[in-house]
Amino acid sequence: NLGQLGDPPTHPELLDWLACEFVARGWSIKSMHRLIVTSSAYRMSSVASFEGSIKDPQNDLISRFDMRRLSAEELRDSILSVSGQLDTKPYGPSIRVKISSEVLAGQSRPGQGWKLSPPDEQNRRSIYIHVKRTLIEPLLSSFDFPDPDSSCEARFRTLQPAQALTMMNGDFLNEQAGRLAERLVKERGDNTRDQVRLAYRLAICRSPNDAEIERASDFIEKLKHKYDLGANESLRVYCLLIYSLNEFLYVD
């Protein structure tokens, strides 16, 4: 917002250059998107240097990348992708995914007007989820899906307890944690350390260090022996934890 109520631009010369470049590129929005996302500024790390922290504590001068939490749709798609369930098929009609009976009970006519899509269709990308004004998919709603009652000029990302509770207790998350556990067993057998390594690679796109492997293995063993959970259930609970890591939820 560069109007009277907004803050003055920190890089007015850059705005002028971008405006001229936009015209020179034939007013192509796609070309400008490509220019921006391939720039060195956009691809910087979020790790602040000592000098940058002193001179640019609020990152007004774009000395680093501001960490960004995944949007609601990105988060759901990422969860499905990690568990191996994401259906990337494009086009077609919108889908109606499973919503808990507790949420459906809040409708004026509980359960009506939300006929589920076939199971093999429900894991399609979130952009295809049917949006009903009075019934938003709970995961999307918790992570700041826009209010369908009004236009949305910009997405705002909040941090609230309901998000953590959704990640721990939501039916969708618990189901996908189970799917991820099945994938780890299928691809790495019963070796706990190998399962942990694959979970990190799938969810966080890096290999865990020795301390992380040891901590994860101890956690799974504790679930088995102290809380009398079976091997599969212990691994599922660990997968639920993986989904809740900041490294999974945030783009660094």
Side-chain angles (χ1 to χ4, degrees), residues 192 196 200 211-221 238 242:
T192 301
V196 170
Y200 266 77
E212 289 169 330
I213 295 175
E214 193 68 30
R215 187 162 58 245
S217 300
D218 290 345
F219 175 73
I220 294 172
E221 290 302 314
Y238 172 70
I242 283 287

Side-chain angles (χ1 to χ4, degrees), residues 180-200 208 213-214 216-218 220-221 224 231-232 235 238-239:
L180 175 55
E182 292 172 1
R183 180 178 183 180
L184 298 181
V185 172
K186 181 179 179 181
E187 298 185 20
R188 290 296 183 271
D190 297 327
N191 188 299
T192 301
R193 291 175 176 270
D194 288 344
Q195 292 170 347
V196 170
R197 291 188 183 95
L198 179 58
Y200 266 77
I213 295 175
E214 193 68 30
S217 300
D218 290 345
I220 294 172
E221 290 302 314
K224 291 179 184 178
N232 292 337
L235 186 58
Y238 172 70
C239 290

Side-chain angles (χ1 to χ4, degrees), residues 67-97:
M67 290 187 68
R68 176 180 70 82
R69 200 201 70 217
L70 295 174
S71 66
E73 297 94 330
E74 289 173 326
L75 177 57
R76 180 180 177 276
D77 289 359
S78 296
I79 291 168
L80 287 168
S81 178
V82 170
S83 68
Q85 302 298 305
L86 181 64
D87 181 355
T88 59
K89 179 179 64 180
Y91 313 123
S94 60
I95 59 172
R96 287 173 169 81
V97 298

Side-chain angles (χ1 to χ4, degrees), residues 96-237:
R96 287 173 169 81
V97 298
K98 183 180 179 181
I99 293 179
S100 68
S101 58
E102 292 84 358
V103 175
L104 291 174
Q107 292 184 288
S108 57
R109 296 182 177 182
Q112 294 190 23
W114 194 260
K115 184 179 179 181
L116 289 179
S117 298
D120 59 341
E121 290 283 316
Q122 292 188 39
N123 290 338
R124 297 188 66 195
R125 292 176 57 209
S126 304
I127 193 174
Y128 292 107
I129 293 179
H130 179 77
V131 176
K132 187 175 183 180
R133 184 175 59 83
T134 58
L135 185 63
I136 304 299
E137 200 279 333
L139 177 67
L140 302 186
S141 178
S142 296
F143 284 88
D144 308 312
F145 188 79
D147 182 359
D149 279 334
S150 59
S151 60
C152 177
E153 66 171 5
R155 293 264 189 122
F156 296 98
R157 293 178 174 86
T158 63
L159 293 175
Q160 51 180 311
Q163 294 166 349
L165 292 172
T166 297
M167 297 298 290
M168 290 188 295
N169 302 318
D171 291 341
F172 174 75
L173 262 299
N174 277 273
E175 178 184 346
Q176 293 307 313
R179 296 290 189 179
L180 175 55
E182 292 172 1
R183 180 178 183 180
L184 298 181
V185 172
K186 181 179 179 181
E187 298 185 20
R188 290 296 183 271
D190 297 327
N191 188 299
T192 301
R193 291 175 176 270
D194 288 344
Q195 292 170 347
V196 170
R197 291 188 183 95
L198 179 58
Y200 266 77
R201 292 300 306 170
L202 292 172
I204 308 177
C205 300
R206 69 171 176 85
S207 297
N209 58 41
D210 292 340
E212 289 169 330
I213 295 175
E214 193 68 30
R215 187 162 58 245
S217 300
D218 290 345
F219 175 73
I220 294 172
E221 290 302 314
K222 186 176 182 180
L223 291 174
K224 291 179 184 178
H225 301 296
K226 184 175 181 178
Y227 297 99
D228 296 324
L229 297 182
N232 292 337
E233 180 64 9
S234 297
L235 186 58
R236 188 195 67 80
V237 173

